[in-house]
Every structure is written in structure tokens, then in C-alpha cells.
Amino acid sequence: MAPVLCVGTVGLDTVETPFGRVEEVLGGSAAYFAVAASLFTSTQLVSVVGEDFPECHYDLLRSRAADLAGLVTLPGRCFRWSGRYHFDLNRRDTLETQLNVLAEFRPVLPPAYREAKFLFLANIDPMLQLSVLDQVRHPRLTMLDSMNYWISGAREALTEALRRVDIVLMNEEEVRQYAGTPHLLKGAREILALGPSALVIKKGEYGAVLLHGDGYFYCPAYPLEEVRDPTGAGDSFAGGFLGYLAQTDNLSMANLRRALVYGSVVASFAVEDFSVGRLLTVTPDDVRRRYREFREFTYFDEV
Ligand code: AMP
């Protein structure tokens, strides 16, 4: 089964939600992605940490089928992010982003990684996403995620990266921000016009939409009674989506639709606890069961 190559952040998060607060827990886009994707396949992780990255986190990532040959340790402190969620968990404020060792990082892929077939450019400086794209020889599928921080701070590099990938993953707010329009579908068309063949728009607790050519497919989010921490939902979604595509090695539209549902299933587990806590206890059986539930609550008859 093909592994997924992922470049993104690995760091320490401090997060406050109405249900609690955690300090300096394992976080970062690539960390969430790898743990989520491990339900389907392994990840070749390309990222950077500082000398203060706890040994137990290396062990955790290794135990979740992550190949750490591309995880570099540099002198200095880890990437750190802190955020606070509102009573409405769809809204959050970033309190602080400390790039630390990320500011010095220039990824050089181990030779085996250059042959990767599935590539996820998780949320990180678009210059680093471009550098990884340059080093992978013949990928079958490339997918890119980003966030407001880079849309406003590194727009030119991000645009160049958007031109070069197959699938773009953004949330509604990011599509509007990037395209400078309140009209979501117009913004989506603008992003697709740059070159990607598909765009996945994440809509938080309302699900996700897949747009490609003239096609449109919508998958709601799993109706959870309790969400404890939405951090990393997007990266976990990406882990389920791309992990499933790599596992099945099938890029048909029907399979992309299934992948969207698997992404939603995995994200629904991720938000049930802080950090990657809940993802560590999920089994492939739990995933299958929730997938079937999605089928039941989205099915309706023709009249
Ligand atoms: P999400 O909730 O899907 O947006 O992902 C949140 C994760 O992204 C957290 O674990 C953060 O460590 C990480 N993160 C926050 N800001 C950035 C940034 N500017 N670049 C890359 N990763 C970030």
C-alpha cells in the first residue's frame, strides 16, 4: 500500500475551548495528518522540530506508522501555536504563532521520499510546499492545504503552489479571503481556474464540499453530541481523505466521493478530544461503523 508523503508543521499547541485548556500538547498540521492517515496507510513525514520536542512525541508518531527520516531536529525551540475557541466552536482566535525552528527550515527529502506517489502539502509556509513539490519526481496525486496566516503573509508563493497541485483543501473563510469575494462558489471557480482539478471546501460542523469541473458533491459532518476541541479537524480530514485514496490507489470520481466521507468520519473522531487523544483510540472498525452511518443518514429515495 502506498505511503503518503506529508510536509507540514509538527509542534506544541496551547488550546482553550469552553470545555478545558491544554498546554504544549502535540500539534501541528503534519502531526494530525500522520495520526489520522495511519488508519489507512503510513506517512513519510517531512517537518522540523526543536531540541525541546519531547521524546514521547517521537515515539507516538513512530508508533502510528510515521516514517520519521524526514523529520529534522534543529537547534532552537519547536513551532508553537496557541488558540482560543468561542462558545460557538466554529469561531476561534489565534493568540500566538511562534515559528521558531520553522523559520530556518529548508526541507531536503531523503532519496526514497522523492518517489512518493501521494503527496500532501499540509498547512505550512508555501515556500516550503513549493520546495517539496520540486523534489518529488512523478507524484500521482498532490493535495494542498493552507490557512489565513499564509494567505495574507505569503500570497505570491501560495498562488504559485495552487497552480501546481491537483486538489486544494480550504475552509470557507479561506476561499473567501483568497479570492476576495463573499460569494463562495465564485471564489471556488477562481481557485479552480488556477489549475487544480478539484477543490474541497471544509465547512466545519456543516461538512465538506467537493467541486470539480461541473461536478458538486456534498457530505455533511457527523452529528456529534459533544465536540471538545476542533483543532486539527482539517488536517485529520485530510488524513482520512488522502489516506483512503492511497490505500485504495483509485482516483475515480466515485472513489473521491468515498474519500470525502472517510475524511469526514476521521475528522469527527479528532474533535472528540484535545490534541490527537481520540484519534489514538479509534479502530478501523469504528471508522467502518461511522462510514455506514453516513450512508444511512444521507440516503433518500427517488419519488
Ligand atoms: P486546523 O485546526 O486544521 O486549522 O489545524 C490546527 C493545527 O495547525 C494546530 O495543531 C497548529 O499547530 C497548526 N498551525 C497553526 N497555525 C499554523 C500555521 N500558520 N502554519 C502551519 N500550521 C499551523
Side-chain angles (χ1 to χ4, degrees):
M1 179 186 322
V4 181
L5 171 61
C6 169
V7 59
T9 50
V10 173
L12 301 174
D13 286 352
T14 295
V15 177
E16 200 179 314
T17 79
F19 314 105
R21 175 186 157 85
V22 289
E23 263 182 54
E24 307 233 317
V25 293
L26 177 62
S29 52
Y32 275 104
F33 178 87
V35 175
S38 72
L39 288 158
F40 302 92
T41 188
S42 57
T43 298
Q44 297 169 320
L45 199 64
V46 178
S47 193
V48 62
V49 291
E51 293 156 322
D52 53 350
F53 191 60
E55 199 58 42
C56 59
H57 293 345
Y58 284 106
D59 294 341
L60 186 155
L61 290 171
R62 229 177 265 119
S63 75
R64 302 307 288 197
D67 172 346
L68 303 187
L71 180 65
V72 173
T73 307
L74 288 182
R77 282 160 58 81
C78 283
F79 170 79
R80 278 173 169 74
W81 174 79
S82 74
R84 183 189 296 135
Y85 288 84
H86 294 242
F87 182 68
D88 168 358
L89 289 168
N90 286 312
R91 292 177 51 224
R92 83 173 171 207
D93 298 322
T94 288
L95 302 178
E96 197 181 24
T97 303
Q98 290 180 25
L99 296 182
N100 296 332
V101 289
L102 191 61
E104 311 299 324
F105 181 49
R106 302 288 172 272
V108 177
L109 300 195
Y113 285 26
R114 293 170 195 252
E115 306 304 323
K117 293 297 166 219
F118 292 85
L119 173 56
F120 182 51
L121 306 168
N123 181 22
I124 198 169
D125 185 338
M127 291 300 289
L128 303 186
Q129 295 178 320
L130 283 168
S131 153
V132 168
L133 260 177
D134 285 339
Q135 295 175 60
V136 177
R137 284 152 49 97
H138 302 294
R140 277 193 73 198
L141 186 73
T142 55
M143 184 162 97
L144 174 146
D145 187 14
S146 195
M147 82 187 284
N148 52 6
Y149 188 89
W150 306 112
I151 295 173
S152 55
R155 192 183 165 85
E156 237 174 84
L158 176 61
T159 301
E160 177 59 22
L162 290 171
R163 288 185 200 284
R164 292 179 50 188
V165 295
D166 301 311
I167 303 183
V168 173
L169 186 65
M170 280 187 176
N171 67 30
E172 293 180 278
E173 203 183 319
E174 291 156 359
V175 171
R176 291 194 174 99
Q177 184 190 353
Y178 180 83
T181 170
H183 305 295
L184 198 58
L185 287 183
K186 271 194 187 159
R189 292 288 157 226
E190 202 174 300
I191 290 167
L192 285 169
L194 293 172
S197 53
L199 169 66
V200 175
I201 306 179
K202 297 170 284 179
K203 293 157 99 50
E205 69 171 311
Y206 304 111
V209 174
L210 171 69
L211 293 147
H212 54 93
D214 292 332
Y216 180 96
F217 176 65
Y218 170 64
C219 175
Y222 187 78
L224 282 177
E225 293 254 328
E226 251 187 60
V227 173
R228 291 194 77 207
D229 175 15
T231 310
D235 310 305
S236 307
F237 175 94
F241 182 87
L242 207 52
Y244 173 73
L245 290 176
Q247 183 196 52
T248 51
D249 199 18
N250 170 354
L251 301 182
S252 66
M253 269 308 151
N255 212 43
L256 283 178
R257 287 176 174 224
R258 284 180 213 117
L260 201 79
V261 180
Y262 275 111
S264 303
V265 167
V266 175
S268 75
F269 286 115
V271 301
E272 286 182 343
D273 206 350
F274 287 90
S275 184
V276 294
R278 177 66 177 113
L279 286 176
L280 294 178
T281 60
V282 174
T283 65
D285 261 354
D286 296 329
V287 172
R288 272 191 291 274
R289 210 168 306 122
R290 225 168 244 195
Y291 182 90
R292 277 199 296 273
E293 283 185 71
F294 266 85
R295 247 180 81 78
E296 276 159 33
F297 67 65
T298 55
Y299 178 82
F300 53 90
D301 274 323
E302 213 172 314
V303 280

